[in-house]
Amino acid sequence: DVKVTQSSRYLVKRTGEKVFLECVQDMDHENMFWYRQDPGLGLRLIYFSYDVKMKEKGDIPEGYSVSREKKERFSLILESASTNQTSMYLCASSPGPYNEQFFGPGTRLTVL
Amino acid sequence: RKEVEQDPGPFNVPEGATVAFNCTYSNSASQSFFWYRQDCRKEPKLLMSVYSSGNEDGRFTAQLNRASQYISLLIRDSKLSDSATYLCVVTQTGANNLFFGTGTRLTVIP
């Protein structure tokens, strides 16, 4: 069974803090993704990576950065958190670009 | 224009009813198609892939119409446990990611 884990289920941070969200997958998948999900807007792609140390911007990369130093781990970084980054963050992985994605349980981030 | 469009609903149907969702996609180069299910405050999970010839999994039937660029999901004999949001998902040749619709919310009423 594919397992994607995320470091926290719930996180509360203050405006201006640096925030790290970590994602780990155990199926040796090439591709990993970070999304945010907001009511009425659906899933929006922030960044994705198709190989170690490779990253590509998604639809809404502003205010975020990512790191993929190891194949199994993909980190999302909010350099200076803002209230409009309050959201559900979902990590996913897949073996290839045309395959289904497997999601982690999500991190609900609140920025005060 | 959005890559994938769905009617957000909500669809409120009685137990035992048959319900159908449609989803349209904008890019004719779309290659793979999926339906995902997302329960409240949970992550999306794959419900079924959609094949060109159509496919069935128990009470669920998925169809693809490439000419009209839409996919459909039919749920027969609805159960209370079918209540969820159903996400339409497509890929495109040359793209390294999936495109998600905003989802259709289904509530099955006793």
Side-chain angles (χ1 to χ4, degrees), chain A:
Chain A
D1 241 10
V2 175
K3 192 153 187 188
V4 181
T5 56
Q6 294 184 229
S7 48
S8 307
R9 291 300 300 273
Y10 299 94
L11 210 51
V12 180
K13 295 291 182 180
R14 297 210 172 270
T15 301
E17 281 192 81
K18 192 168 185 175
V19 182
F20 292 87
L21 302 181
E22 299 238 310
C23 174
V24 178
Q25 51 96 0
D26 66 358
M27 282 301 291
D28 202 34
H29 284 169
E30 303 291 333
N31 295 11
M32 296 187 75
F33 308 83
W34 274 106
Y35 296 89
R36 64 177 283 178
Q37 187 174 33
D38 302 286
L41 297 177
L43 281 160
R44 293 183 290 167
L45 182 65
I46 305 171
Y47 267 97
F48 65 97
S49 168
Y50 52 88
D51 202 353
V52 175
K53 297 194 187 292
M54 303 299 288
K55 61 185 179 185
E56 294 252 357
K57 292 180 180 179
D59 300 317
I60 51 164
E62 297 78 19
Y64 303 94
S65 62
V66 290
S67 172
R68 192 156 179 213
E69 296 296 319
K70 293 185 178 181
K71 191 175 187 179
E72 67 272 17
R73 190 179 297 268
F74 192 35
S75 302
L76 179 69
I77 303 146
L78 287 65
E79 294 290 341
S80 177
S82 63
T83 54
N84 63 11
Q85 291 178 310
T86 291
S87 188
M88 169 69 94
Y89 289 87
L90 288 156
C91 175
S93 73
S94 73
Y98 307 124
N99 300 102
E100 67 170 293
Q101 291 181 8
F102 299 86
F103 284 85
T107 296
R108 191 165 290 278
L109 173 67
T110 302
V111 183
L112 301 175

Side-chain angles (χ1 to χ4, degrees), chain A residues 31 33 35 37 41-43 45 48 50 90 97-101 103-105 108, chain B residues 31-32 34 36 38 41 43-44 46 87 91-98 100 102:
Chain A
N31 295 11
F33 308 83
Y35 296 89
Q37 187 174 33
L41 297 177
L43 281 160
L45 182 65
F48 65 97
Y50 52 88
L90 288 156
Y98 307 124
N99 300 102
E100 67 170 293
Q101 291 181 8
F103 284 85
R108 191 165 290 278
Chain B
Q31 184 164 11
S32 302
F34 308 95
Y36 276 69
Q38 186 172 23
R41 305 181 90 81
E43 73 272 25
L46 181 70
L87 304 171
T91 68
Q92 291 174 11
T93 303
N96 275 323
N97 55 292
L98 304 182
F100 287 80
T102 53

